[in-house]
Amino acid sequence: MPASEGDAMGDVGKRDFLKASLITGVAAMVPAQARSATMPGLSANTALIDRDRARFVMATAGFDALLLGRPEASYHATGIVQAMARFGVQGTTFALLPADTRLPIIHITPQFGFYYMTADTALLPGVEQRLVTWPGGDDNVAPAALYLARDPAAISARETRRRAMTAASGPFFANTAAAVADALRGLGPSPRIGHDTLEGGELLALAGAAAVPAADLARHVRLIRTPREIELMRAASAANVAAAVAVAAQMRALGSLQAVRVAFNSRVAALGNVPVFMAVDGVVDESVAGGFVDGQTALIDCVSQRAGYHGDFGRTVFIGEPRRDALAKARTVAAAWNEVRAALRPGLRFSEISALGISVLKRMGSDLRVPFGPHCVGLAHTDQPKFDLAGKPLDLVLETGMTISVDCPLMEVGNTGTMHMEDLTLITADGSTPLHALGEPYLVA
């Protein structure tokens, strides 16, 4: 129902004025990379991974190499998307990441996935390929298996390139175990290898290597973003925010949780991102129906990715004319987050971020419950190690090059509705900087 005259805003910030201001400002919030639907790819000489950091992490933890089977980890090491994982097939693709930076990173995958996805591009420098062909068998080495070309002169230019790339990407193996065993030969006798999947551990055991579970180490390696990763994070975040802000302005007209989510997914896809999830009014489950009433607030928490890298953005949306009490709460949360954001810098611990936010609210004379929960964002919505390099529980310390989000939802229920505040932030040498244009602290539909 419409807000009563007593609950409604006064002469400042009327709904039409706020909405008009919002729509006018949307274009300024959308950099060129977010307006393009073109997916930025990895150039032939641009890696995601920092091999020196990987060497430091493995040396500190006492490993000679990591056998990475999780899709985001093998992608980070090689720049190659796991085609087989997209087909729903797990445990067949791996990246062997040696601590010794003089050794190549070795990508092991079925030829089927390589042919359909990787053969159309070039491998990054420092990455070597091992292909598993069909049919399987007892022989360690198998020939490349290609489609029959009855008339080689009639095949397309793309097919010619794919066949040449595949033929040049040997050696070829009849099974994954043989390919892994071959990849380990360059590591010397009795290497200690970490793995991040059960299948990887089994393959290492078959090869006679000292295999140790080490899923957290891959997250340590990518904790500090390279310039290329930051570039992709900015592009992902720009499109994510642009779609979220545009759809927020339409929420009252769209009328339902599901319609809002469909609109966001469509718009963010048109800007070149892939939708991951969207919380609307605190609901993530896509099957849940529900609508809005004038005078309520409804949070949005929007996550989408581009080239694997995630954008994460949250705001409070006023449905119709904002209530005075709701507007006061939204302004308080925004002011507290701005103060916390200004204090982010290398050396600050995650626990200290939360404590700082709570103390800021108390100093403001507010009893609002807001967790100020930090988490790293990168190749996952929450992309951070749980343990330190000695295996002990970790209270993460901010370092230059980390990309984080601080969740600021209002942890209370009542007639004001749900509220949220969240921005992606890059930690710099002397503080921090937003990864996207901040825009308005709250939105109006």
Side-chain angles (χ1 to χ4, degrees):
M1 64 181 63
S4 68
E5 186 175 349
D7 286 338
M9 292 177 59
D11 57 348
V12 178
K14 286 290 189 181
R15 175 170 60 86
D16 290 344
F17 171 77
L18 287 173
K19 190 172 180 180
S21 299
L22 170 64
I23 294 172
T24 302
V26 167
M29 294 178 63
V30 189
Q33 69 263 37
R35 300 192 192 112
S36 170
T38 302
M39 180 78 74
L42 297 174
S43 69
N45 56 4
T46 305
L48 296 171
I49 193 169
D50 181 342
R51 289 292 304 268
D52 289 332
R53 177 169 178 81
R55 179 192 56 182
F56 165 78
V57 168
M58 283 185 272
T60 303
F63 287 90
D64 296 297
L66 298 176
L67 184 65
L68 305 172
R70 291 183 59 87
E72 71 277 9
S74 67
Y75 168 64
H76 181 247
T78 65
I80 301 171
V81 175
Q82 272 202 25
M84 301 308 295
R86 288 193 174 186
F87 299 145
V89 180
Q90 304 292 334
T92 62
T93 299
F94 300 89
L96 183 70
L97 174 61
D100 188 343
T101 57
R102 297 170 297 181
L103 297 176
I105 299 169
I106 297 178
H107 185 246
I108 301 164
T109 194
Q111 182 184 304
F112 174 81
F114 177 88
Y115 176 87
Y116 276 106
M117 195 151 194
T118 311
D120 289 324
T121 59
L123 296 177
L124 294 174
V127 177
E128 290 186 1
Q129 186 67 60
R130 301 287 189 275
L131 292 182
V132 178
T133 64
W134 74 86
D138 296 328
D139 295 333
N140 285 344
V141 180
L146 298 171
Y147 283 102
L148 178 64
R150 296 187 183 276
D151 182 4
I155 64 176
S156 68
R158 181 180 63 188
E159 174 64 12
T160 300
R161 289 194 303 270
R162 282 182 170 181
R163 294 169 76 88
M165 184 74 168
T166 302
S169 295
F172 305 93
F173 299 89
N175 54 70
T176 306
V180 169
D182 179 81
L184 295 178
R185 291 195 179 103
L187 298 178
S190 304
R192 187 169 186 256
I193 314 294
H195 61 88
D196 63 349
T197 62
L198 290 174
E199 295 89 348
E202 293 169 352
L203 289 167
L204 290 170
L206 286 173
V212 183
D216 235 24
L217 288 192
R219 289 186 282 267
H220 273 284
V221 170
R222 63 179 185 266
L223 187 61
I224 309 301
R225 309 295 170 196
T226 62
R228 177 56 173 156
E229 290 182 284
I230 294 170
E231 178 187 14
L232 291 171
M233 289 284 293
R234 288 190 188 280
S237 188
N240 190 65
V241 171
V245 171
V247 170
Q250 302 172 339
M251 282 176 60
R252 189 173 186 232
L254 289 168
S256 74
L257 307 180
Q258 292 170 327
V260 168
R261 190 174 286 110
V262 168
F264 170 75
N265 290 348
S266 299
R267 186 172 290 267
V268 83
L271 291 173
N273 278 18
V274 177
V276 178
F277 72 84
M278 181 186 190
V280 187
D281 198 20
V283 177
V284 179
D285 188 340
E286 289 87 354
S287 68
V288 175
F292 312 107
V293 296
D294 281 0
Q296 81 168 94
T297 62
L299 71 80
I300 57 169
D301 189 352
C302 304
V303 179
S304 59
Q305 58 93 353
R306 176 176 296 199
Y309 287 86
H310 287 56
D312 189 5
F313 175 75
R315 283 295 185 270
T316 297
V317 182
F318 292 99
I319 307 299
E321 194 166 294
R323 296 166 51 104
R324 287 186 182 276
D325 53 347
L327 184 61
K329 290 177 180 180
R331 285 173 170 166
T332 298
V333 173
W337 162 230
N338 281 339
E339 190 166 335
V340 170
R341 184 168 51 81
L344 298 177
R345 63 192 63 254
L348 196 66
R349 293 185 178 275
F350 267 24
S351 61
E352 293 174 326
I353 296 173
S354 301
L356 174 61
I358 294 169
S359 69
V360 167
L361 284 177
K362 288 182 178 178
R363 179 165 44 76
M364 295 170 64
S366 172
D367 63 354
L368 296 181
R369 292 185 60 196
V370 180
F372 298 95
H375 61 95
C376 293
V377 180
L379 286 171
H381 171 261
T382 303
D383 196 19
Q384 67 210 41
K386 298 178 182 178
F387 304 96
D388 65 19
L389 293 176
K392 298 178 180 178
L394 178 62
D395 184 6
L396 204 60
V397 178
L398 297 185
E399 298 181 60
T400 302
M402 288 173 58
T403 50
I404 72 165
S405 173
V406 179
D407 277 307
C408 305
L410 182 62
M411 305 298 291
E412 63 178 58
V413 294
N415 58 8
T416 55
T418 57
M419 297 187 179
H420 193 33
M421 185 85 189
E422 185 175 14
D423 296 292
L424 277 183
T425 304
L426 170 67
I427 305 303
T428 61
D430 57 358
S432 70
T433 186
L435 274 170
H436 56 78
L438 294 177
E440 300 298 329
Y442 43 82
L443 308 172
V444 180

